Amino acid sequence: MKSKKIVALVMSAAMVVGAASMFAACKPEEDGPGGTTGPEFQVDNEVYHCAGSSKGPEGSLYEQGWNEKAEGATEKVTFVKDAAVTNENVFKLEMKLYAGDEFKIVKATTGWTWELTTAAFVDAQEDATYNWVVKNDDDQIVFRSVSSSNSNITLNEGMDGIYEFTLKTNPAATEHADQYKISYKLVQKIDKLRIPYNMEVWGDLNGFGFGSNKIAMTNKDGIWSTVIDITEKDLVRKEDGTKITTDEEYTGTKYSAVYVSNVGDGETDADVKVFVDANAKKATVRVDGEDVEANLLTAGKWNVTFDQNTKTVTFAAIKDDWNIVAGAKEVKLEAQTNGTWVGTIELTEAATGVKLVNKGGEDADVTIGDLAAGTWLVQYNPETGKVRYDTNSNYYIAGSINGWGDAPKAEDPLKLTESDTAGIWEITVDWSAETENILFKVVRGNFVAGAIDWYGHWQDGQGTTGDNDGDNFKLAPGKYHITIDTNNYGKIGYELITE
């Protein structure tokens, strides 16, 4: 995705030039692409569709996302050419959008090109706050850029609705801004999207106190979770929940007051916003002039979970304290919500007898062995006893064969190794048994984060439209030697092995 975003920024910057004069009118124009005074008309056989994200599952972009090929989703957001119009290229698309939904218009048949952003609307105008905005007849902002550095088309607050977009094109135009014009029509206003649950941890956290720091929780199937780290600076409460004053000499046990807050819309039958662990120590604390029940926690790491089905909170102390030890060097691993521990250690020279040590429990040390100099990513699962470690950044094949963005996380990933030539990474893959073409990219990443950077350009002299599907590489079943040249803009090469 990152390579695409860079392309998007470049294209967006190109569109800005001359955009102010190009898009001054608010009504569809007779001239311009395909018009009487614009460049000579040329038929456009390109396929255009949208890629983006939606806040709600009923949104047109929800299934499509930003991916090149989401199964069965792309067709829902593909522009349809108006065959009845023969003197200009007119494409139309109707989408259901919620406030905050973001998208771009992309070209499909010549590669997944991030083509059109907010600046391409016929009535777009520059705005100091939003960079580009599109207003309706009531001078309300309907579409906007997220910021000056993000040119995604974004539906503004209060503008939820079903919209029809009209895209007019003329490939004969020499300037990008003359090739495309987008206009829109509100077909139907829809109710604002309600998000019943959006959970955060509030409290005396990171030394700042209530209202200054909130920690977001991650939702998976209605179970929200996160890990918090309460430090000595956060212990600002007495046993009854009152705050310890700066000039007070308090010798009792000190606590941090914490609770889970629902910052979503809430439910129609209840407006509960604050949840606590019924089985943990509690007290009433004063927050923003109101009395609120909170849990009192001691210093240390805590697993926090909220079950939206039972509406229960659990604060579970993490007693373990896993560290990676390499000679005199020692690095703490961080507890993850999935129960694993992850950390990175940088070795300036090779280390022998590297191991994992739990300083918070009685577990036996876990031996890793010898590691060469470099930056190493380590993951440990106490439940299974499995340790994974590898250099922090590697190159992998990611695609239809192994799960795209999650490919580096696989137990046996398609990992490239550095060849005898510095900067050239290679892998031999045998896809002879496959029955369909293989779509893929080369990515940089690791087994924790998955894909981080995506590479999608053939080496000079290699690759034709027959070797691409959108912006993905496409190869027929067979055995291949695939390389990435990091000395040459990360370009990809391949060779069919016929032996």
Side-chain angles (χ1 to χ4, degrees):
M1 284 296 300
K2 287 191 175 181
S3 62
K4 302 186 194 75
K5 290 182 179 178
I6 292 172
V7 173
L9 290 172
V10 172
M11 299 305 295
S12 177
M15 287 187 288
V16 171
V17 179
S21 59
M22 183 71 197
F23 303 139
C26 295
K27 303 290 185 182
E29 299 178 354
E30 294 182 0
D31 295 330
T36 56
T37 62
E40 183 179 353
F41 171 67
Q42 178 179 325
V43 174
D44 187 356
N45 293 318
E46 180 61 79
V47 175
Y48 297 92
H49 50 246
C50 290
S53 60
S54 178
K55 302 294 183 181
E58 294 184 2
S60 298
L61 292 158
Y62 188 80
E63 293 181 29
Q64 168 59 41
W66 295 99
N67 299 319
E68 288 90 336
K69 292 291 180 185
E71 289 295 329
T74 304
E75 292 77 8
K76 299 178 182 179
V77 288
T78 299
F79 281 82
V80 176
K81 191 171 186 180
D82 190 342
V85 181
T86 58
N87 64 336
E88 59 180 347
N89 301 302
V90 179
F91 301 84
K92 292 184 179 292
L93 170 64
E94 188 171 281
M95 289 198 298
K96 186 174 186 177
L97 299 174
Y98 293 102
D101 286 3
E102 300 180 36
F103 64 97
K104 283 188 174 76
I105 297 175
V106 299
K107 294 169 66 173
T109 58
T110 57
W112 188 275
T113 306
W114 302 80
E115 195 71 23
L116 301 174
T117 61
T118 313
F121 279 88
V122 295
D123 47 1
Q125 51 189 285
E126 289 186 272
D127 183 276
T129 302
Y130 295 117
N131 189 37
W132 287 99
V133 297
V134 180
K135 296 183 177 181
N136 59 19
D137 292 337
D138 296 325
D139 204 36
Q140 298 172 314
I141 296 174
V142 181
F143 300 101
R144 58 179 174 82
S145 300
V146 178
S147 67
S148 59
S149 61
N150 185 341
S151 54
N152 296 342
I153 302 169
T154 306
L155 187 67
N156 204 32
E157 290 296 325
M159 295 297 165
D160 311 69
I162 298 173
Y163 289 84
E164 181 187 73
F165 296 92
T166 300
L167 170 64
K168 293 186 178 183
T169 73
N170 186 10
T174 56
E175 296 295 330
H176 184 275
D178 295 332
Q179 293 175 355
Y180 309 100
K181 280 190 176 182
I182 310 169
S183 58
Y184 76 92
K185 178 177 70 176
L186 175 62
V187 177
Q188 179 183 338
K189 185 77 174 172
I190 62 176
D191 292 336
K192 175 183 177 181
L193 178 67
R194 297 187 66 254
I195 305 175
Y197 291 96
N198 185 13
M199 311 308 294
E200 297 178 342
V201 180
W202 287 32
D204 302 316
L205 300 169
N206 294 339
F208 294 108
F210 276 101
S212 300
N213 199 359
K214 306 160 188 178
I215 299 176
M217 303 181 73
T218 302
N219 178 30
K220 184 176 182 180
D221 299 326
I223 305 298
W224 298 75
S225 62
T226 190
V227 173
I228 62 174
D229 188 1
I230 296 177
T231 67
E232 293 295 327
K233 290 183 179 180
D234 302 323
L235 303 179
V236 296
R237 304 272 174 178
K238 301 178 184 179
E239 192 165 0
D240 61 0
T242 58
K243 289 200 93 173
I244 303 170
T245 60
T246 54
D247 58 350
E248 185 176 0
E249 294 184 6
Y250 181 73
T251 58
T253 303
K254 297 179 181 180
Y255 298 90
S256 172
V258 180
Y259 62 80
V260 171
S261 177
N262 181 13
V263 296
D265 292 336
E267 298 180 282
T268 55
D269 58 344
D271 58 359
V272 177
K273 292 291 184 181
V274 175
F275 299 86
V276 296
D277 186 340
N279 299 313
K281 187 176 180 63
K282 299 186 294 292
T284 299
V285 299
R286 196 75 172 167
V287 180
D288 296 333
E290 296 184 4
D291 289 334
V292 178
E293 190 175 39
N295 290 120
L296 298 180
L297 306 180
T298 53
K301 293 182 184 296
W302 295 78
N303 262 322
V304 187
T305 58
F306 172 77
D307 187 333
Q308 70 181 43
N309 299 309
T310 61
K311 301 177 180 62
T312 55
V313 169
T314 301
F315 287 100
I318 301 174
K319 301 297 184 183
D320 292 335
D321 182 16
W322 286 99
N323 294 253
I324 180 170
V325 180
K329 188 155 191 174
E330 190 172 303
V331 174
K332 284 183 175 292
L333 301 185
E334 294 295 327
Q336 308 296 303
T337 56
N338 63 0
T340 64
W341 293 72
V342 174
T344 301
I345 187 168
E346 187 172 346
L347 300 177
T348 55
E349 58 184 21
T352 60
V354 179
K355 60 185 178 180
L356 300 178
V357 177
N358 186 3
K359 295 194 171 184
E362 299 179 356
D363 300 78
D365 296 347
V366 179
T367 300
I368 291 178
D370 301 339
L371 294 180
T375 302
W376 292 86
L377 179 68
V378 180
Q379 181 188 62
Y380 177 56
N381 187 333
E383 184 175 342
T384 63
K386 181 174 180 179
V387 180
R388 292 188 72 175
Y389 57 93
D390 201 349
T391 47
N392 189 43
S393 178
N394 296 284
Y395 295 98
Y396 302 85
I397 298 293
S400 59
I401 201 77
N402 61 353
W404 295 102
D406 286 335
K409 300 180 182 180
E411 291 293 329
D412 189 19
L414 297 175
K415 178 183 171 184
L416 284 73
T417 57
E418 190 165 17
S419 69
D420 294 335
T421 304
I424 304 294
W425 297 72
E426 61 186 357
I427 187 174
T428 297
V429 292
D430 190 352
W431 291 330
S432 303
E434 298 300 317
T435 58
E436 297 181 352
N437 291 330
I438 297 91
L439 307 180
F440 73 97
K441 273 189 172 70
V442 174
V443 301
R444 184 184 66 82
N446 58 57
F447 59 81
V448 173
I452 299 173
D453 289 323
W454 299 71
Y455 299 88
H457 297 285
W458 289 116
Q459 289 181 6
D460 298 340
Q462 273 202 308
T464 65
T465 54
D467 298 315
N468 290 337
D469 185 0
D471 201 24
N472 298 316
F473 303 135
K474 179 176 71 175
L475 293 178
K479 188 174 182 180
Y480 295 92
H481 179 245
I482 299 172
T483 60
I484 179 171
D485 185 354
T486 61
N487 303 313
N488 186 22
Y489 305 103
K491 289 189 175 180
I492 314 301
Y494 74 94
E495 178 184 0
L496 176 64
I497 300 174
T498 56
E499 60 183 24

